[in-house]
Amino acid sequence: MTTLTRADWEQRAQQLKIEGRAFINGEYTDAVSGQTFECVSPVDGRLLAQVASCDAADAQRAVENARATFNEGVWAKAAPAKRKATLIRFAGLLREHAEELALLETLDMGKPISDSLNIDVPGSANALAWSGEAIDKVYDEVAPTPHNQLGLVTREAVGVVAAVVPWNFPLMMACWKLGPALATGNSVILKPSEKSPLTAIRIAQLAIEAGIPKGVLNVLPGHGHTVGKALALHMDVDTVVFTGSTRIAKQLMIYAGESNMKRVWLEAGGKSPNIVFADAPDLQAAADSAASAIAFNQGEVCTAGSRLLVERSVKERFLPMVVEALKAWKPGNPLDPATNVGALVDTQQMNTVLSYISAGQEGGATLLVGGKRILEETGGTYVEPTIFDGVTNAMKIAQEEIFGPVLSVLTFDTAEEAVSIANDSPYGLAAAVWTADISKAHLTAKALRAGSVWVNQYDGGDMTAPFGGFKQSGNGRDKSLHAFDKYTELKATWIKL
């Protein structure tokens, strides 16, 4: 547990050496074009680094190296136990460099340093180690055959994987992909968001130090419409894995169809319902969770509990509890360890969130708290946690993913109505149910069209539980052994004896 103060973090930020180049075939390198883009901190608008702006030429270099390394088999054909040991070393290096990585994450993305240090970096290391630990414990199959036949069902690495990850949990989402992709023997090209590329660039060197062969992990910073598109269209990329918006997820599917029919695995948007029944066992806990579910990480969470569904008979009592609980979530300087709400990732996202707040007011919803930009004098991008009451599910703020600290409160009278409202969404990533009735909990959970359902809590689970969505929230699953399915091909070998 660190005892660093805000002044300590500020001093370290001034001394921090930031790498902004791409990483191809084991070396940092400029973009082929020589182009860069500015990486600006949402904390206070400071320029952090000039970052390589990769494009199709860099994608070609990275794919060629990744394919050559895969074909050589230095990683793909290594014993699972060797890949396991290497990934565990990789995870250990993340832990050793935890303070550096946390500082990069906070400066780059704007989240509180306490979250970066205590949640993001440990969670990222755990994701790598978990996949590493699992890989030499996963068995293939022998089919039931006649006595003179032998049927083998085996899994093989898919080949070259392009992993396109988002800006809200840059390091953790990268490691959710890297863990199973590397454990199963693939070569990976990691494309971080141009809004938060710094930790991805940094861990590439740590991977080499851990013993991952050069060419197995490459990192290409740059924009989606250039290098991201080039990877998705490349004829020698076997799989694209993606976390981000539903709009971009759909575009990646088109690119796959226009190229080599590469597999495309998607974790996209969410508009998660948090359902509070009148018989919730602990209304205060439900209120506290409702506040944290929308304010944590500035609401920039795909599973944010952005729709709070409250049973009418308890709403008058419950909603003031949520308003009071939200007062504990105050935007502040992310380098202050006491801060629990940081800056939105950039000015564009801040303006998007503010436009949704305006749309809620114009659409007839009642603004209870928040709704404004604050701390403007810092040069950072801060918005107050916001609650709207009187929301109907047809309103824009109830249907579209805002990706900011904006909570919509809706009312229901029956469990059937709650489920109907909850499922009336193009998304199906997550949901929560608060009730003391075990039958109601099970029946409601079964009826909800969501990949994760939490009962009497919000955002439960660990690496053993698969994570992904229904409907336009995507396909495939991160975490758990189910994640390995995305990075392997299934082969049947039938032998006559």
Side-chain angles (χ1 to χ4, degrees):
M1 188 71 178
T2 184
T3 57
L4 295 176
T5 65
R6 174 179 169 179
D8 295 328
W9 287 114
E10 290 280 12
Q11 183 179 22
R12 290 191 178 200
Q14 295 298 325
Q15 299 169 347
L16 188 63
K17 295 181 179 179
I18 297 177
E19 178 61 71
R21 292 175 294 173
F23 194 84
I24 300 175
N25 201 34
E27 296 180 346
Y28 286 113
T29 179
D30 293 327
V32 172
S33 68
Q35 295 296 307
T36 62
F37 62 90
E38 291 186 344
C39 183
V40 175
S41 176
V43 173
D44 52 16
R46 76 181 76 174
L47 177 64
L48 295 172
Q50 294 288 340
V51 176
S53 186
C54 296
D55 58 23
D58 304 285
Q60 182 63 30
R61 274 190 67 200
V63 173
E64 287 177 355
N65 279 285
R67 176 60 65 191
T69 304
F70 181 77
N71 289 343
E72 289 167 9
V74 292
W75 181 253
K77 296 178 182 178
K82 181 177 180 180
R83 296 199 298 269
K84 164 188 168 179
T86 305
L87 282 173
I88 291 172
R89 283 197 298 271
F90 190 13
L93 286 170
L94 262 64
R95 296 186 182 105
E96 288 180 26
H97 292 265
E99 292 180 355
E100 175 195 359
L101 292 170
L103 183 55
L104 281 172
E105 202 82 322
T106 288
L107 290 172
D108 201 9
M109 185 266 162
K111 67 176 63 197
I113 189 67
S114 294
D115 288 349
S116 296
L117 187 62
N118 298 316
I119 298 174
D120 291 56
V121 176
S124 302
N126 186 46
L128 294 175
W130 195 93
S131 291
E133 284 282 6
I135 195 59
D136 67 348
K137 302 170 185 67
V138 178
Y139 290 76
D140 289 325
E141 304 169 26
V142 177
T145 62
H147 77 282
N148 63 341
Q149 305 281 336
L150 177 62
L152 304 178
V153 182
T154 55
R155 288 194 174 275
E156 299 178 1
V158 70
V160 176
V161 175
V164 182
V165 297
W167 48 259
N168 60 331
F169 290 92
L171 183 59
M172 192 180 298
M173 293 302 98
C175 291
W176 279 16
K177 314 295 188 192
L178 292 178
L182 293 173
T184 48
N186 296 282
S187 292
V188 181
I189 302 163
L190 177 61
K191 191 276 175 196
S193 170
E194 66 275 11
K195 295 177 185 286
S196 56
L198 299 182
T199 50
I201 295 171
R202 178 67 181 98
I203 66 168
Q205 182 61 46
L206 297 182
I208 294 293
E209 293 177 22
I212 294 175
K214 65 179 184 179
V216 172
L217 174 58
N218 306 274
V219 179
L220 299 183
H223 295 275
H225 65 272
T226 54
V227 69
K229 180 179 180 179
L231 290 170
L233 285 169
H234 202 289
M235 296 297 291
D236 210 21
V237 170
D238 299 296
T239 294
V240 170
V241 291
F242 170 78
T243 296
S245 73
T246 295
R247 180 178 65 86
I248 299 302
K250 291 179 178 181
Q251 188 62 55
L252 291 174
M253 297 179 79
I254 293 171
Y255 292 152
E258 291 176 345
S259 54
N260 59 342
M261 289 181 61
K262 57 178 62 67
R263 285 93 174 115
V264 181
W265 301 103
L266 309 164
E267 193 267 280
K271 195 70 182 176
S272 300
N274 187 10
I275 304 170
V276 180
F277 286 101
D279 66 348
D282 187 339
L283 283 177
Q284 187 59 60
D288 292 343
S289 287
S292 63
I294 196 61
F296 171 68
N297 210 53
Q298 305 74 245
E300 298 166 317
V301 186
C302 54
T303 56
S306 53
R307 289 187 296 157
L308 178 61
L309 280 58
V310 184
E311 190 165 357
R312 190 180 307 276
S313 63
V314 77
K315 180 181 176 182
E316 186 175 345
R317 175 186 171 197
F318 180 68
L319 190 52
M321 297 168 68
V322 178
V323 172
E324 184 65 26
L326 196 63
K327 292 179 181 179
W329 294 85
K330 299 178 180 179
N333 189 300
L335 293 176
D336 186 340
T339 294
N340 60 2
V341 180
L344 295 173
V345 71
D346 63 7
T347 300
Q348 180 185 28
Q349 183 62 20
M350 179 187 68
N351 290 337
T352 295
V353 171
L354 292 173
S355 73
Y356 274 108
I357 292 171
S358 296
Q361 293 173 299
E362 294 164 5
T366 301
L367 180 65
L368 292 184
V369 295
K372 299 188 297 295
R373 180 183 183 182
I374 59 173
L375 303 175
E376 189 170 355
E377 70 280 2
T378 66
T381 48
Y382 302 87
V383 172
E384 294 175 309
T386 300
I387 301 178
F388 279 105
D389 191 16
V391 178
T392 67
N393 210 46
M395 290 181 180
K396 183 176 182 178
I397 58 171
Q399 283 293 310
E400 298 183 14
E401 185 177 42
I402 298 173
F403 233 61
V406 182
L407 179 64
S408 295
V409 180
L410 301 95
T411 310
F412 66 89
D413 292 298
T414 66
E416 292 76 18
E417 184 184 8
V419 169
S420 177
I421 293 170
N423 287 340
D424 181 19
S425 169
Y427 302 111
L429 191 56
V433 179
W434 295 79
T435 177
D437 186 328
I438 191 65
S439 294
K440 186 192 294 183
H442 275 291
L443 291 171
T444 304
K446 289 176 67 174
L448 290 167
R449 301 289 294 164
S452 296
V453 179
W454 305 302
V455 177
N456 295 330
Q457 61 181 318
Y458 202 89
D459 200 21
D462 58 20
M463 281 300 298
T464 64
F467 179 82
F470 289 15
K471 299 187 284 187
Q472 292 185 47
S473 287
N475 57 16
R477 294 297 181 265
D478 286 320
K479 304 197 305 178
S480 83
L481 294 178
H482 295 281
F484 288 10
D485 295 342
K486 299 191 297 187
Y487 304 99
T488 55
E489 294 282 18
L490 203 61
K491 177 179 284 185
T493 304
W494 204 263
I495 304 168
K496 182 177 181 180
L497 302 177

